[in-house]
Amino acid sequence: TTTTNPAKPMKFTVTATLTITARDGSQTPPRSFTRTATANYTRSSQVLGDSAAAQEAGERAARSVAESLRLALLAAATR
């Protein structure tokens, strides 16, 4: 007999855009940075566990996007 594995790999994707505009009235065009991050998790047909895993994966992806945008902002500020 074969037993099927109820665990299913899933992905949670977060995309964020940061737009910086000059406040001093200059003609500098706005700068825009977009970053995307994906976090993997496993769905196992347990409603509470699946919900917690998806939420945790979403938080990991959001932290990753925020860090990536922070680094992009720092890099742009040094140019």
Side-chain angles (χ1 to χ4, degrees), residues 3-4 7-8 15 18 20 22 24-25 32-35 39 41 45 48 56-57 61 65 71 75 79:
T3 304
T4 59
K8 294 179 184 161
T15 301
L18 170 68
I20 301 170
D24 59 2
S32 188
F33 306 94
T34 300
R35 298 293 184 266
Y41 68 99
S45 301
L48 212 49
E56 193 268 336
V65 163
L71 293 174
R79 292 183 191 162

Side-chain angles (χ1 to χ4, degrees), residues 7 19-21 23-24 29 33 35 62 64 68 72 78:
T19 302
I20 301 170
T21 56
R23 292 181 15 174
D24 59 2
F33 306 94
R35 298 293 184 266
S64 181
S68 181
T78 61

Side-chain angles (χ1 to χ4, degrees), residues 12-69:
F12 199 108
T13 302
V14 174
T15 301
T17 301
L18 170 68
T19 302
I20 301 170
T21 56
R23 292 181 15 174
D24 59 2
S26 70
Q27 298 301 317
T28 306
R31 296 186 75 176
S32 188
F33 306 94
T34 300
R35 298 293 184 266
T36 301
T38 302
N40 297 321
Y41 68 99
T42 303
R43 199 170 79 190
S44 63
S45 301
Q46 295 179 359
V47 176
L48 212 49
D50 291 349
S51 178
Q55 181 177 354
E56 193 268 336
E59 290 171 0
R60 280 187 289 129
R63 275 193 302 273
S64 181
V65 163
E67 180 66 12
S68 181
L69 283 174

